[in-house]
């Protein structure tokens, strides 16, 4: 079976409050071309026990619909069998024109604390989720995940960019490093 996607994740739910940062470059849809749009989701996120139990997730996503698009998500639900809009809060950021996310490496990060989640691009704040939001800040430990997902044409390219016919394989997300700094105020995991 031909593979189109890949994922790297920690084995156990061992990570919670702290600062997460990755230095990565989103894929080029076509070789040596940083401007053509396609279909992919290149991410770094924390994730716990999806569907049926405790769905907890905090994402940084770079998608194939634009060379400057960053999406930040929080998901929090219990006993959920399928995704629905009430379990997710999203924010979208468009990077400055000089910051083509496919052209060079960038630092993506988020600080996850009981008092809120703050997202960063190259050290600058680009989003925040506060406790006042209707969707509660996740409080259970999670795995760290990094991946490149490409979606099928028969799904209508509804996620990750609608121009999947432009994808030229192989495509690569490049990850230089990942850092996690545990929050000193977390006495138990």
């Amino acid at each position: 079976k031909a593979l189109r996607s890949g994922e790297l994740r920690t084995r156990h739910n061992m990570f919670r409050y702290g600062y997460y940062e990755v230095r990565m470059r989103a894929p080029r849809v076509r070789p040596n071309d940083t401007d053509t749009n396609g279909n992919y989701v290149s991410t770094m996120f924390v994730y716990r026990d999806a569907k049926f139990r405790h769905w907890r997730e905090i994402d940084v996503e770079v998608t194939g619909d634009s060379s400057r698009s960053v999406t930040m998500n929080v998901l929090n639900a219990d006993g959920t069998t399928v995704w629905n809009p009430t379990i997710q809060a999203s924010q979208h950021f468009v990077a400055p024109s000089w910051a083509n996310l496919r052209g060079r490496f960038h630092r993506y990060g988020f600080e996850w604390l009981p008092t809120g989640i703050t997202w960063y691009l190259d050290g600058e704040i680009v989003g925040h989720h506060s406790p006042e939001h209707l969707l509660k800040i996740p409080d259970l430990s999670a795995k760290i995940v990094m991946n490149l997902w490409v979606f099928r044409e028969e799904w209508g390219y509804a996620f990750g960019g609608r121009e999947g016919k432009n994808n030229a394989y192989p495509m690569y997300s490049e990850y230089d490093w990942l850092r996690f700094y545990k929050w000193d105020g977390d006495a138990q995991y």
Side-chain angles (χ1 to χ4, degrees), residues 10-180:
T10 57
R11 187 172 184 183
H12 301 288
N13 295 317
M14 299 174 50
F15 303 90
R16 194 164 70 161
Y17 302 129
Y19 184 72
Y20 298 76
E21 185 177 45
V22 67
R23 184 173 183 265
M24 72 179 209
R25 177 171 42 202
R28 293 178 173 112
V29 173
R30 298 204 171 270
N32 304 314
D33 178 355
T34 61
D35 295 318
T36 299
N37 295 329
N39 175 272
Y40 65 81
V41 178
S42 182
T43 67
M44 185 269 294
F45 62 103
V46 294
Y47 168 80
R48 180 180 182 105
D49 297 337
K51 303 174 187 173
F52 311 114
R53 294 185 66 199
H54 310 291
W55 192 339
R56 305 291 189 269
E57 191 171 329
I58 302 169
D59 304 333
V60 174
E61 299 175 339
V62 180
T63 53
D65 57 338
S66 166
S67 63
R68 299 170 37 212
S69 175
V70 179
T71 303
M72 301 150 289
N73 302 304
V74 176
L75 290 92
N76 195 339
D78 291 314
T80 301
T81 57
V82 294
W83 178 89
N84 70 72
T86 65
I87 70 166
Q88 180 172 330
S90 295
Q91 298 176 38
H92 303 281
F93 175 76
V94 177
S97 59
W98 57 264
N100 185 311
L101 304 177
R102 301 173 191 154
R104 65 182 182 92
F105 282 88
H106 293 273
R107 291 178 299 126
Y108 302 85
F110 59 86
E111 184 177 45
W112 172 20
L113 298 173
T115 56
I117 303 161
T118 304
W119 286 272
Y120 297 85
L121 174 62
D122 291 328
E124 300 292 324
I125 294 174
V126 295
H128 184 73
H129 184 88
S130 68
E132 291 78 31
H133 194 281
L134 292 177
L135 191 66
K136 191 172 104 175
I137 295 168
D139 60 354
L140 297 175
S141 60
K143 297 172 176 68
I144 300 173
V145 182
M146 296 177 288
N147 62 22
L148 171 61
W149 290 335
V150 178
F151 295 88
R152 295 177 172 194
E153 182 178 3
E154 53 267 27
W155 296 344
Y157 298 127
F159 185 57
R162 296 200 175 274
E163 299 176 67
K165 291 185 181 196
N166 290 338
N167 286 9
Y169 300 103
M171 286 175 25
Y172 304 95
S173 281
E174 296 178 74
Y175 295 87
D176 189 24
W177 47 255
L178 168 78
R179 296 178 181 158
F180 169 67

